Amino acid sequence: MAMNQLPRLLIVDPSREDVNLLLRSLDEYGCRVSHSSAADLEAMRAHLMSRKWDAIICQHALPQVDAAAALRLAREFCPDIPFIV
């Protein structure tokens, strides 16, 4: 990551309100990020295929799947980045 580039954060959460809350919390602590969000594993896969990420934050209970499945998917594409549940 270049020095002037913001960290790239993928947020896996179906709730837009929760995503916004997380982003506001990060901002309050002075942590600015470039982000995208995915509501499910299909969207997550598309995001993982489209660009490189510096970290992934994932809601524990996703509709029809859990964070363990999201972690397995993340490890296929980016095995070395932080995955936070």
Side-chain angles (χ1 to χ4, degrees):
M1 179 173 58
M3 291 299 285
N4 61 351
Q5 185 178 358
L6 295 175
R8 296 170 305 248
L9 178 64
L10 177 57
I11 304 168
V12 183
D13 192 323
S15 168
R16 190 72 204 145
E17 294 82 18
D18 288 348
V19 170
N20 289 336
L21 178 62
L22 172 62
L23 293 171
R24 279 194 307 274
S25 296
L26 289 171
D27 190 54
E28 286 177 10
Y29 285 99
C31 185
R32 295 186 48 212
V33 297
S34 170
H35 76 281
S36 290
S37 61
D40 56 32
L41 287 184
E42 184 176 320
M44 181 183 171
R45 180 183 301 277
H47 283 292
L48 290 170
M49 293 173 62
S50 70
R51 66 187 287 198
K52 293 188 186 291
W53 299 96
D54 296 309
I56 299 170
I57 295 180
C58 182
Q59 171 64 267
H60 182 268
L62 299 168
Q64 303 166 346
V65 73
D66 60 21
L71 175 60
R72 285 190 296 274
L73 178 61
R75 293 297 170 241
E76 289 179 32
F77 289 90
C78 45
D80 298 326
I81 69 165
F83 185 94
I84 302 163
V85 178

